[in-house]
Amino acid sequence: MNDLTMRGIVSTLDLITLILRFSIGHKGFCGDLRQFYTSILIENDQFNLQRVLMVEDLDMNNEVIEMIIVTLIFGIRAVSALSEHAVIKLASFITQTNPRLGELLMDSRFCDDLADSETNTEKIDKLTAEADSLFESVGLRCKGWSKTGSPPHKDVTADGHTVNVA
């Protein structure tokens, strides 16, 4: 299937900008979207591209079961471009009412990782709450937010002291 699908161009992911935005302000914060690819549904007219035939117990005498994977999945060449397109649409939708949240999605994200900084904790708390509300409205969810001066969220740290960003 990868030989038949287009890879797509992802020109919006800029790791340098994300790291600069994360480190330039007084208080840094980061989050990690949970099950990012599998949270994005594909259009019904694309279902034929993710049709799977299965035989229970690999026994050829059993009935063939047809299934369709209705979300983006790992290992498919076009997934990065498709997920990026979905987030760009979300950012353009929200930018008109909340420019700072749109900016977070466009300039402070690398795939499913978000990282930025603000002048104070109150602004971080407000922005992350707005992000959580937006994500929930479209079926996404952040594993947890971590910010300067607080221990990392337990779902985004391996050692209890540090987090990986992008």
Side-chain angles (χ1 to χ4, degrees):
M1 184 162 125
N2 273 331
D3 291 339
L4 300 175
T5 58
M6 292 181 60
R7 180 167 295 184
I9 297 171
V10 177
S11 59
T12 54
L13 297 178
D14 183 352
L15 187 55
I16 300 298
T17 298
L18 176 137
I19 291 171
L20 287 172
R21 291 178 65 87
F22 176 70
S23 59
I24 203 165
H26 294 284
K27 302 267 185 183
F29 67 98
C30 61
D32 188 352
L33 293 173
R34 182 181 306 276
Q35 300 175 338
F36 181 52
Y37 291 150
T38 57
S39 296
I40 300 174
L41 300 174
I42 62 171
E43 295 285 334
N44 294 6
D45 65 351
Q46 302 295 304
F47 281 1
N48 63 316
L49 298 175
Q50 295 194 160
R51 185 181 318 264
V52 177
L53 301 178
M54 184 188 97
V55 178
E56 195 168 329
D57 297 325
L58 297 178
D59 183 345
M60 296 311 290
N61 295 318
N62 287 337
E63 179 182 348
V64 174
I65 301 168
E66 179 180 356
M67 298 181 290
I68 298 171
I69 302 169
V70 299
T71 67
L72 297 182
I73 55 175
F74 302 97
I76 304 300
R77 185 184 290 186
V79 165
S80 292
L82 292 170
S83 63
E84 199 56 23
H85 180 72
V87 175
I88 291 168
K89 284 182 78 170
L90 183 60
S92 65
F93 169 77
I94 198 66
T95 295
Q96 295 170 28
T97 57
N98 190 333
R100 179 64 177 100
L101 185 53
E103 184 181 307
L104 176 70
L105 291 175
M106 288 303 297
D107 299 331
S108 301
R109 184 184 48 81
F110 192 81
C111 299
D112 61 348
D113 292 333
L114 297 142
D116 206 333
S117 59
E118 269 296 349
T119 55
N120 60 54
T121 303
E122 292 76 25
K123 286 184 177 183
I124 292 172
D125 292 342
K126 180 179 186 290
L127 184 58
T128 56
E130 291 168 345
D132 283 339
S133 179
L134 174 65
F135 295 151
E136 185 179 327
S137 75
V138 295
L140 292 170
R141 192 166 156 233
C142 188
K143 289 179 192 175
W145 296 99
S146 300
K147 59 186 173 187
T148 301
S150 300
H153 188 278
K154 64 180 178 59
D155 292 339
V156 296
T157 183
D159 62 9
H161 303 288
T162 61
V163 295
N164 292 329
V165 176

